[in-house]
CSV table of all heavy atoms in Angstrom, one decimal:
chain,number,residue,atom,x,y,z
A,1,THR,N,-46.8,-12.4,-61.5
A,1,THR,CA,-48.1,-12.6,-62.2
A,1,THR,C,-48.8,-11.3,-62.8
A,1,THR,O,-49.2,-11.2,-63.9
A,1,THR,CB,-49.1,-13.4,-61.3
A,1,THR,OG1,-48.5,-14.6,-60.9
A,1,THR,CG2,-50.4,-13.8,-62.1
A,2,SER,N,-48.9,-10.3,-61.8
A,2,SER,CA,-49.6,-9.1,-62.2
A,2,SER,C,-49.2,-8.0,-61.2
A,2,SER,O,-48.6,-8.3,-60.2
A,2,SER,CB,-51.1,-9.3,-62.1
A,2,SER,OG,-51.6,-9.5,-60.8
A,3,PRO,N,-49.5,-6.7,-61.6
A,3,PRO,CA,-49.2,-5.6,-60.6
A,3,PRO,C,-49.9,-5.9,-59.3
A,3,PRO,O,-49.3,-5.6,-58.2
A,3,PRO,CB,-49.8,-4.4,-61.3
A,3,PRO,CG,-49.7,-4.8,-62.8
A,3,PRO,CD,-50.0,-6.2,-62.9
A,4,GLN,N,-51.1,-6.3,-59.3
A,4,GLN,CA,-51.8,-6.6,-58.0
A,4,GLN,C,-51.2,-7.7,-57.2
A,4,GLN,O,-51.0,-7.6,-56.0
A,4,GLN,CB,-53.3,-6.8,-58.2
A,4,GLN,CG,-54.1,-5.6,-58.6
A,4,GLN,CD,-55.6,-5.9,-58.7
A,4,GLN,OE1,-56.0,-7.0,-58.4
A,4,GLN,NE2,-56.3,-4.8,-59.2
A,5,SER,N,-50.8,-8.8,-57.9
A,5,SER,CA,-50.1,-9.9,-57.2
A,5,SER,C,-48.8,-9.4,-56.7
A,5,SER,O,-48.4,-9.9,-55.6
A,5,SER,CB,-50.0,-11.0,-58.3
A,5,SER,OG,-49.2,-12.1,-57.7
A,6,ALA,N,-48.1,-8.6,-57.4
A,6,ALA,CA,-46.8,-8.2,-56.9
A,6,ALA,C,-46.8,-7.4,-55.7
A,6,ALA,O,-46.1,-7.6,-54.7
A,6,ALA,CB,-46.1,-7.3,-58.1
A,7,ILE,N,-47.8,-6.4,-55.5
A,7,ILE,CA,-47.9,-5.6,-54.4
A,7,ILE,C,-48.5,-6.5,-53.2
A,7,ILE,O,-48.0,-6.3,-52.1
A,7,ILE,CB,-48.8,-4.4,-54.6
A,7,ILE,CG1,-48.7,-3.4,-53.4
A,7,ILE,CG2,-50.2,-4.7,-54.8
A,7,ILE,CD1,-47.3,-2.9,-53.1
A,8,LEU,N,-49.4,-7.3,-53.4
A,8,LEU,CA,-49.9,-8.2,-52.4
A,8,LEU,C,-48.8,-9.1,-51.9
A,8,LEU,O,-48.7,-9.4,-50.7
A,8,LEU,CB,-51.2,-9.0,-52.9
A,8,LEU,CG,-51.8,-9.9,-51.8
A,8,LEU,CD1,-52.3,-9.1,-50.6
A,8,LEU,CD2,-53.0,-10.7,-52.5
A,9,SER,N,-48.1,-9.7,-52.8
A,9,SER,CA,-47.0,-10.7,-52.4
A,9,SER,C,-45.9,-9.9,-51.5
A,9,SER,O,-45.4,-10.5,-50.5
A,9,SER,CB,-46.4,-11.3,-53.6
A,9,SER,OG,-47.3,-12.0,-54.3
A,10,ALA,N,-45.6,-8.7,-51.9
A,10,ALA,CA,-44.6,-7.9,-51.2
A,10,ALA,C,-45.2,-7.5,-49.8
A,10,ALA,O,-44.4,-7.6,-48.8
A,10,ALA,CB,-44.2,-6.6,-51.9
A,11,ILE,N,-46.4,-7.2,-49.7
A,11,ILE,CA,-47.0,-6.9,-48.4
A,11,ILE,C,-47.0,-8.1,-47.5
A,11,ILE,O,-46.7,-8.0,-46.3
A,11,ILE,CB,-48.4,-6.3,-48.6
A,11,ILE,CG1,-48.4,-4.9,-49.1
A,11,ILE,CG2,-49.3,-6.4,-47.3
A,11,ILE,CD1,-47.8,-3.9,-48.0
A,12,ILE,N,-47.4,-9.3,-48.0
A,12,ILE,CA,-47.4,-10.5,-47.2
A,12,ILE,C,-46.0,-10.9,-46.8
A,12,ILE,O,-45.7,-11.2,-45.6
A,12,ILE,CB,-48.0,-11.7,-48.1
A,12,ILE,CG1,-49.5,-11.4,-48.3
A,12,ILE,CG2,-47.8,-13.0,-47.3
A,12,ILE,CD1,-50.1,-12.4,-49.3
A,13,PHE,N,-45.0,-10.7,-47.7
A,13,PHE,CA,-43.6,-11.0,-47.3
A,13,PHE,C,-43.1,-10.0,-46.2
A,13,PHE,O,-42.5,-10.4,-45.3
A,13,PHE,CB,-42.7,-11.0,-48.5
A,13,PHE,CG,-41.2,-11.1,-48.2
A,13,PHE,CD1,-40.7,-12.3,-48.1
A,13,PHE,CD2,-40.5,-10.0,-48.0
A,13,PHE,CE1,-39.3,-12.5,-47.8
A,13,PHE,CE2,-39.1,-10.1,-47.7
A,13,PHE,CZ,-38.5,-11.4,-47.6
A,14,ASN,N,-43.5,-8.8,-46.4
A,14,ASN,CA,-43.1,-7.7,-45.5
A,14,ASN,C,-43.6,-8.0,-44.1
A,14,ASN,O,-43.0,-7.7,-43.1
A,14,ASN,CB,-43.7,-6.4,-46.0
A,14,ASN,CG,-42.9,-5.2,-45.4
A,14,ASN,OD1,-41.8,-5.1,-45.5
A,14,ASN,ND2,-43.7,-4.3,-44.7
A,15,ALA,N,-44.8,-8.6,-44.0
A,15,ALA,CA,-45.5,-8.9,-42.7
A,15,ALA,C,-44.8,-10.1,-42.1
A,15,ALA,O,-44.4,-10.2,-40.9
A,15,ALA,CB,-46.9,-9.1,-42.8
A,16,LEU,N,-44.6,-11.2,-42.9
A,16,LEU,CA,-44.2,-12.5,-42.4
A,16,LEU,C,-42.7,-12.5,-41.9
A,16,LEU,O,-42.3,-13.3,-41.0
A,16,LEU,CB,-44.4,-13.6,-43.4
A,16,LEU,CG,-45.8,-13.9,-43.8
A,16,LEU,CD1,-45.9,-15.0,-44.8
A,16,LEU,CD2,-46.6,-14.4,-42.5
A,17,ILE,N,-41.9,-11.6,-42.6
A,17,ILE,CA,-40.4,-11.6,-42.2
A,17,ILE,C,-40.2,-11.2,-40.8
A,17,ILE,O,-39.2,-11.6,-40.2
A,17,ILE,CB,-39.7,-10.7,-43.2
A,17,ILE,CG1,-38.1,-11.1,-43.1
A,17,ILE,CG2,-39.9,-9.2,-42.9
A,17,ILE,CD1,-37.9,-12.4,-43.7
A,18,ILE,N,-41.2,-10.4,-40.2
A,18,ILE,CA,-40.9,-9.9,-38.8
A,18,ILE,C,-41.0,-11.1,-37.9
A,18,ILE,O,-40.1,-11.2,-37.0
A,18,ILE,CB,-42.0,-8.8,-38.5
A,18,ILE,CG1,-41.8,-7.5,-39.4
A,18,ILE,CG2,-42.0,-8.4,-37.0
A,18,ILE,CD1,-42.8,-6.5,-39.3
A,19,PRO,N,-42.1,-11.8,-37.8
A,19,PRO,CA,-42.1,-13.0,-36.9
A,19,PRO,C,-41.0,-14.0,-37.1
A,19,PRO,O,-40.6,-14.6,-36.1
A,19,PRO,CB,-43.5,-13.5,-37.0
A,19,PRO,CG,-44.0,-13.1,-38.3
A,19,PRO,CD,-43.4,-11.8,-38.5
A,20,LEU,N,-40.6,-14.1,-38.3
A,20,LEU,CA,-39.5,-15.1,-38.6
A,20,LEU,C,-38.2,-14.6,-38.0
A,20,LEU,O,-37.4,-15.5,-37.7
A,20,LEU,CB,-39.4,-15.3,-40.1
A,20,LEU,CG,-40.5,-16.0,-40.9
A,20,LEU,CD1,-40.3,-16.0,-42.3
A,20,LEU,CD2,-40.7,-17.4,-40.3
A,21,LEU,N,-38.1,-13.3,-37.8
A,21,LEU,CA,-36.8,-12.8,-37.3
A,21,LEU,C,-36.9,-12.5,-35.8
A,21,LEU,O,-35.9,-12.2,-35.1
A,21,LEU,CB,-36.4,-11.5,-38.0
A,21,LEU,CG,-36.0,-11.6,-39.4
A,21,LEU,CD1,-35.7,-10.2,-40.0
A,21,LEU,CD2,-34.7,-12.5,-39.5
A,22,VAL,N,-38.1,-12.7,-35.2
A,22,VAL,CA,-38.2,-12.4,-33.7
A,22,VAL,C,-37.3,-13.4,-32.9
A,22,VAL,O,-36.7,-12.9,-32.0
A,22,VAL,CB,-39.7,-12.7,-33.3
A,22,VAL,CG1,-39.8,-12.8,-31.8
A,22,VAL,CG2,-40.5,-11.5,-33.8
A,23,PRO,N,-37.2,-14.7,-33.2
A,23,PRO,CA,-36.3,-15.6,-32.4
A,23,PRO,C,-34.9,-15.0,-32.4
A,23,PRO,O,-34.2,-15.0,-31.4
A,23,PRO,CB,-36.5,-16.9,-33.0
A,23,PRO,CG,-37.8,-16.9,-33.7
A,23,PRO,CD,-38.0,-15.5,-34.1
A,24,LEU,N,-34.4,-14.6,-33.6
A,24,LEU,CA,-33.1,-14.1,-33.7
A,24,LEU,C,-32.9,-12.8,-32.9
A,24,LEU,O,-31.9,-12.6,-32.2
A,24,LEU,CB,-32.7,-13.8,-35.1
A,24,LEU,CG,-31.2,-13.4,-35.4
A,24,LEU,CD1,-30.3,-14.4,-34.9
A,24,LEU,CD2,-31.1,-13.1,-36.9
A,25,ALA,N,-33.9,-11.9,-32.9
A,25,ALA,CA,-33.8,-10.7,-32.2
A,25,ALA,C,-33.8,-10.9,-30.7
A,25,ALA,O,-33.1,-10.2,-30.0
A,25,ALA,CB,-35.0,-9.8,-32.5
A,26,LEU,N,-34.5,-11.9,-30.2
A,26,LEU,CA,-34.5,-12.2,-28.8
A,26,LEU,C,-33.4,-13.0,-28.3
A,26,LEU,O,-32.8,-12.8,-27.2
A,26,LEU,CB,-35.8,-12.9,-28.4
A,26,LEU,CG,-37.2,-12.1,-28.7
A,26,LEU,CD1,-38.3,-12.9,-28.1
A,26,LEU,CD2,-37.1,-10.8,-28.1
A,27,LYS,N,-32.9,-13.9,-29.1
A,27,LYS,CA,-31.8,-14.8,-28.7
A,27,LYS,C,-30.5,-14.1,-29.0
A,27,LYS,O,-29.5,-14.3,-28.2
A,27,LYS,CB,-31.8,-16.1,-29.5
A,27,LYS,CG,-30.8,-17.1,-29.1
A,27,LYS,CD,-30.9,-18.4,-29.9
A,27,LYS,CE,-29.8,-19.4,-29.6
A,27,LYS,NZ,-29.9,-20.6,-30.3
A,28,GLY,N,-30.4,-13.2,-30.0
A,28,GLY,CA,-29.2,-12.6,-30.3
A,28,GLY,C,-28.4,-13.3,-31.3
A,28,GLY,O,-28.4,-14.5,-31.4
A,29,VAL,N,-27.7,-12.5,-32.1
A,29,VAL,CA,-26.7,-13.2,-33.1
A,29,VAL,C,-25.6,-13.9,-32.4
A,29,VAL,O,-25.0,-13.4,-31.4
A,29,VAL,CB,-26.2,-12.1,-34.0
A,29,VAL,CG1,-25.1,-12.7,-35.0
A,29,VAL,CG2,-27.3,-11.5,-34.8
A,30,ALA,N,-25.2,-15.1,-32.8
A,30,ALA,CA,-24.1,-15.8,-32.3
A,30,ALA,C,-22.9,-14.9,-32.3
A,30,ALA,O,-22.5,-14.3,-33.3
A,30,ALA,CB,-23.9,-17.1,-33.0
A,31,TYR,N,-22.2,-14.9,-31.2
A,31,TYR,CA,-21.1,-14.0,-31.1
A,31,TYR,C,-19.7,-14.8,-31.0
A,31,TYR,O,-19.6,-15.8,-30.3
A,31,TYR,CB,-21.1,-13.1,-29.8
A,31,TYR,CG,-19.9,-12.4,-29.5
A,31,TYR,CD1,-19.5,-11.3,-30.4
A,31,TYR,CD2,-19.0,-12.7,-28.5
A,31,TYR,CE1,-18.3,-10.6,-30.2
A,31,TYR,CE2,-17.9,-12.0,-28.3
A,31,TYR,CZ,-17.5,-10.9,-29.1
A,31,TYR,OH,-16.3,-10.2,-28.9
A,32,ARG,N,-18.8,-14.4,-31.8
A,32,ARG,CA,-17.4,-14.9,-31.8
A,32,ARG,C,-16.5,-13.7,-31.8
A,32,ARG,O,-16.6,-12.7,-32.5
A,32,ARG,CB,-17.1,-15.8,-33.0
A,32,ARG,CG,-17.9,-17.0,-33.1
A,32,ARG,CD,-17.4,-18.0,-34.2
A,32,ARG,NE,-17.3,-17.4,-35.5
A,32,ARG,CZ,-18.3,-17.4,-36.4
A,32,ARG,NH1,-19.5,-18.1,-36.1
A,32,ARG,NH2,-18.2,-16.9,-37.5
A,33,PRO,N,-15.4,-13.8,-30.9
A,33,PRO,CA,-14.5,-12.7,-30.9
A,33,PRO,C,-13.8,-12.5,-32.2
A,33,PRO,O,-13.2,-13.4,-32.8
A,33,PRO,CB,-13.5,-13.2,-29.7
A,33,PRO,CG,-14.2,-14.2,-29.0
A,33,PRO,CD,-15.1,-14.9,-29.9
A,34,MET,N,-13.9,-11.2,-32.7
A,34,MET,CA,-13.2,-10.8,-33.9
A,34,MET,C,-13.1,-9.3,-34.0
A,34,MET,O,-13.8,-8.6,-33.2
A,34,MET,CB,-13.9,-11.4,-35.1
A,34,MET,CG,-15.3,-10.9,-35.3
A,34,MET,SD,-16.1,-11.6,-36.8
A,34,MET,CE,-16.3,-13.2,-36.4
A,35,GLY,N,-12.2,-8.8,-34.8
A,35,GLY,CA,-12.1,-7.4,-35.0
A,35,GLY,C,-13.2,-6.7,-35.7
A,35,GLY,O,-14.1,-7.5,-36.3
A,36,ALA,N,-13.2,-5.4,-35.8
A,36,ALA,CA,-14.3,-4.7,-36.4
A,36,ALA,C,-14.3,-5.0,-37.9
A,36,ALA,O,-15.4,-5.1,-38.5
A,36,ALA,CB,-14.1,-3.2,-36.2
A,37,GLY,N,-13.2,-5.1,-38.6
A,37,GLY,CA,-13.1,-5.3,-40.0
A,37,GLY,C,-13.7,-6.7,-40.4
A,37,GLY,O,-14.7,-6.7,-41.2
A,38,PRO,N,-13.2,-7.8,-39.9
A,38,PRO,CA,-13.8,-9.1,-40.1
A,38,PRO,C,-15.3,-9.1,-39.7
A,38,PRO,O,-16.1,-9.8,-40.4
A,38,PRO,CB,-13.0,-10.0,-39.3
A,38,PRO,CG,-11.7,-9.4,-39.1
A,38,PRO,CD,-12.0,-7.9,-39.0
A,39,LEU,N,-15.7,-8.5,-38.7
A,39,LEU,CA,-17.1,-8.4,-38.2
A,39,LEU,C,-18.0,-7.7,-39.3
A,39,LEU,O,-19.1,-8.3,-39.6
A,39,LEU,CB,-17.2,-7.7,-36.9
A,39,LEU,CG,-18.6,-7.7,-36.3
A,39,LEU,CD1,-19.1,-9.0,-36.0
A,39,LEU,CD2,-18.6,-6.9,-35.0
A,40,LEU,N,-17.5,-6.6,-39.8
A,40,LEU,CA,-18.3,-5.9,-40.8
A,40,LEU,C,-18.4,-6.8,-42.1
A,40,LEU,O,-19.5,-6.9,-42.7
A,40,LEU,CB,-17.6,-4.6,-41.2
A,40,LEU,CG,-18.3,-3.8,-42.3
A,40,LEU,CD1,-19.7,-3.4,-41.9
A,40,LEU,CD2,-17.4,-2.6,-42.6
A,41,ALA,N,-17.3,-7.5,-42.5
A,41,ALA,CA,-17.3,-8.3,-43.6
A,41,ALA,C,-18.3,-9.5,-43.4
A,41,ALA,O,-19.1,-9.9,-44.4
A,41,ALA,CB,-15.9,-8.8,-43.9
A,42,ARG,N,-18.4,-10.0,-42.2
A,42,ARG,CA,-19.2,-11.2,-42.0
A,42,ARG,C,-20.7,-10.7,-42.0
A,42,ARG,O,-21.5,-11.4,-42.6
A,42,ARG,CB,-19.0,-11.7,-40.6
A,42,ARG,CG,-19.9,-12.8,-40.1
A,42,ARG,CD,-19.8,-13.0,-38.6
A,42,ARG,NE,-20.7,-14.0,-38.2
A,42,ARG,CZ,-21.1,-14.1,-36.9
A,42,ARG,NH1,-20.6,-13.3,-36.0
A,42,ARG,NH2,-22.0,-15.0,-36.5
A,43,ASN,N,-21.0,-9.5,-41.5
A,43,ASN,CA,-22.4,-9.0,-41.5
A,43,ASN,C,-22.8,-8.8,-42.9
A,43,ASN,O,-24.0,-9.1,-43.2
A,43,ASN,CB,-22.4,-7.6,-40.7
A,43,ASN,CG,-22.9,-7.9,-39.3
A,43,ASN,OD1,-23.2,-9.0,-38.9
A,43,ASN,ND2,-23.0,-6.8,-38.5
A,44,LEU,N,-22.0,-8.2,-43.7
A,44,LEU,CA,-22.4,-7.9,-45.1
A,44,LEU,C,-22.5,-9.2,-45.8
A,44,LEU,O,-23.5,-9.3,-46.7
A,44,LEU,CB,-21.3,-7.1,-45.8
A,44,LEU,CG,-21.2,-5.6,-45.3
A,44,LEU,CD1,-20.0,-4.9,-46.0
A,44,LEU,CD2,-22.5,-4.9,-45.5
């Protein structure tokens, strides 16, 4: 919409993404046995 809307929207998103990722940080990413190559490809 505007420069001010852009920075405010980005700041709000920047703040909200943290609590949204807290459950994943505490629970941990689901683990499946695989080599380093496939693991890197999956992460990316």
Side-chain angles (χ1 to χ4, degrees):
T1 306
S2 68
Q4 289 188 1
S5 175
I7 192 63
L8 180 59
S9 299
I11 284 292
I12 294 173
F13 175 83
N14 200 54
L16 292 180
I17 198 67
I18 294 172
L20 290 177
L21 291 175
V22 166
L24 183 61
L26 298 187
K27 185 179 179 181
V29 172
Y31 172 69
R32 293 195 301 272
M34 62 178 68
L39 182 60
L40 177 61
R42 176 195 175 201
N43 265 0
L44 291 176

